[in-house]
Amino acid sequence: MLVIKDLHAKIDDKEILRGINLEVKPGEVHAIMGPNGSGKSTLSSVLAGNEKFEVVEGEVSFNDKDLLDLAPEDRAREGLFLSFQYPVEIPGVSMVNFMRTAVNEHRKYAEKDPYTASEFLKLMREKKKLVEIDSNLTNRSVNEGFSGGEKKKNEIFQMAMLEPKLAILDETDSGLDIDALRVVANGVNKLKSPETSTIVITHYQRLLDHIVPDFVHVLYKGRIVKSAGKELAHELEEKGYDWIKKEFED
Amino acid sequence: MNKTCRIVNLQEEYSQLYKENLSLLENGAPEKMNASRAKAFDLFVEKGIPSNKVEEYKYTNLQPFFKGSFDIALSSDAALEGAAENFNCGVPELDTHNVFLINGWFANQDDCNQLPKGVVVGSIREKAEQYPEVFEKYYNENTPNNLDAMAAMNTAFAQDGAFIYVPKGVVVEKPIQLVNIMSGDNDRLVFQRNLIVVEENAQVKVMLCDHTISPQKFVINNLTEVFVKENSVFDIYNVQNQHNLTTQVSGMYVHQKKHSNILTNNLTLHSGVTRNNIRVTMDDEHCESHVYGLYLSDKNQHVDNFTFIDHAKPNCQSFELFKGVMDDSASGAFTGRVLVRPDAQQTNAYQSNNNLLLTDNAKINSKPQLEIYADDVKCSHGATVGQLDDEAMFYLRARGINQTEGRILLMFAFAYEVIEKIRVEPLKENIRSLVEKRFRGEFDKCDSCVVCGQQGSSVSCL
C-alpha cells in the first residue's frame, strides 16, 4: 500500500528527514514512536503534502502511484488521511458544509455522483453514531471553540466520513483524557478492515493498548533506527528513549 | 428634458449647469426643496467636488469621475425615457413592497393598498405636496451640507427620489424595496434624494437595490435622510450591484431618538467606484445602532466607506462592523469616526474593520478614529488586514478539497459574519447565495438580481 524509500525532507534548509524507509501493507497497523524533534510530525506532513516541507530525495509510492507527485487534495482522494496533531479552527465554515464538500469531491474523483442533501445527512448521522461524536459539534464551525478532545474526536469523525485506505494519526492521543482516548481508539478500530492500514504516531504507549500495532518503529534524528513488534512499545515506556539514543550514537 | 452637459473644469460647468437650468430644476419640485437649493449650491461651489486633498476624501479622489459628457434628466419623462419597458417587476422569493426608480426618478410601485393603513410610499416630489407637514418638518434637516460638498451638491440638484412615512405605532411587516435602475443611451449624471420618517413606536425595513442595466457610464449622487423617532425600529440594506463604469456617492444620514434601534448594512457586491457616507446621530438617550458593511471588490474597483457615529447623548450603544475582500488590483478605504460627546456617559461603542487581501496589488486603507470626550464609556476598535490562512487551506486540501473550492469556502467564511447580521431572513438567504456566487465568479451583473429580480443585460457586463 505505502512504500517509502530513502525519503529526505527539509524545512528552511534544515534537513529533518534523513533517509526514511518504510513499507506498510494492507491491514497492517504501524506505530511510529520517538523522542521530540525526531521528525515524526514532519513525516506525516510530508506524506499529506504540506508544502512547507521540501522533499529533497527519495520516493513514496501509494497504491502504485507516485505520492509525491500528487497535490494534497489528490492524495486525500486517493485514500490517504491525516489526523492532524493540531486541527485548524476555521470560523465561518460549517462542519456540514465542509464535510459535504469534502465527501463530494472524493466522489467526483472516483467518478461517482455527489450525494444528495438527504443521503449526505443520513451518512453523517450514521458516522456520528459510529464514532460517538456529540451531535452539536457538527452544527458548529469547523473546530471553532472545540476543546482538545473534541477536536481529536472530530478528526476521527472526518476519517469515518472519508473512509480512507491509509490513516495517519499524528499524536492523536496528546492531551486526551482516558475517556476521550477510548472513544478515539474505538472509532479507529471500528473503521479498520483487512484492506485498510493505519500509521499511529505517538509519544506514549497508552494509545497502543487500544490500537494494537503489528510493528513499532523508532524514529530518531530523521531515520528509523529500530523496528520490532508491539513489545517494543512497552520497552520504550519502561526505559525511555535514552538507550535507543545511546545505541544509535554508538 | 434631458440636458447634455460637458464637464471639464468641474466647478465652472457645474455652476453653469445649475444657473442655466434653475427654473427646470425647480419646476414642479416641492417648495422646501427649492428653498434649500441656493444655500446648498453656494456651499457646493465653495468646496467643490472633493479631490484627495480634502481630508475626508483622502483615499477617493472624486474629481476625475465627475468629469465627462453627461446627460442629466431634468424631468421625470426624460429620466424614464425608453427605460420604462426594460425593467422586470417580478420578484422571486422575496415578498416585498417594490418601488422602482429610474435614473433617480420615481417610476412606479406595487399596489399601495397592500401597505398598512397610514403608511406612505412614493415619489418625494409628489408626496411632499400631499403631506407637506411631514416634508417641511424633516426635509434637509439632517443633511450636513456645510460639511460635505457631495451632500450640498445633492441638495442643490436633486429633484426626485423616494419618500417613506410610517405613522406612529405601525409595523410594516413586508420590507419596502427601492429598486434603483440606471439606464440610458448616453453617459448619465444622476441625483436622487430619499426621505424616510419612522414615527414613534413604528417599525420598517427598507432595501435599497442599486443596478445598472445599460453599459453607459453612470455618475450617481444619491442621498437618503432618515428620521427614527422614539422606540422605533429601522433597518436599511443597501445592495450595490453595478457595473464597473459606475461611480456612486451614496449618503445615508440617520437621526435617532430615544429607545430607537437602527441597522444599516451596505453590501457592495459589485461596482466601479463607490463612496458610502454613513452618518448616525444618536440624539437621545438609550439609542442602539448597528452599522455594518461588506465589500467584495476585484479588477480595478474601489470602495470607500466613510462612517461617522455621533454619540451625542448618554446611554447609547453602537456596533460597527465592516469587512472587505479585495482581489486583483482593487482598492478600498474605511474610516470609522466615533464621536462621544462630553456628556455622553455610559456609551458603549464597538467598531471593527477586517480586510482580506487576495493579491499583492490589492490595497486597503483602514482608519479608526475615536474621539472621546466623556470619561465613563466603553469603546473599542480594531482594524485588521490579512491574507487567506495557509494552515486552514492545507487542512481543507488534506480533506480532498481543491484550492479553488477551498478559497471560496475561506472567503465565504470571512464574509459570513456580516451576512449573519441581516435581520430579514429571506434576504439573508439570498445574500448568502449571491456572495457565494460572486466568489465563484459565476455571478456578474448579467444575472438577474437574486434580491430584487432585476434582469441584467449582457451588454452591461463590463
Side-chain angles (χ1 to χ4, degrees), chain B residues 135-147:
Chain B
F135 185 82
E136 300 284 325
K137 187 170 170 193
Y138 295 106
Y139 181 80
N140 203 33
E141 293 299 323
N142 190 35
T143 298
N145 295 305
N146 53 337
L147 299 175

Side-chain angles (χ1 to χ4, degrees), chain A residues 49-51 72-73 76-77 81-82 84 90-93 98 101-102 105-106 143 155 158, chain B residues 389 391-403 405 409-410 412-414 416 436:
Chain A
N50 193 331
E51 284 155 2
E73 55 270 28
R77 295 162 183 171
F81 181 89
L82 171 64
F84 282 65
I90 315 181
V93 176
F98 168 53
T101 311
E105 290 278 314
H106 273 71
N143 293 324
E155 295 291 290
Q158 292 171 39
Chain B
D389 181 352
E391 285 191 31
M393 180 61 99
F394 178 64
Y395 191 71
L396 296 175
R397 294 181 76 190
R399 297 297 176 254
I401 297 170
N402 67 35
Q403 260 175 309
E405 203 65 30
L409 273 176
L410 292 178
F412 188 78
F414 180 83
Y416 154 95
E436 202 187 321

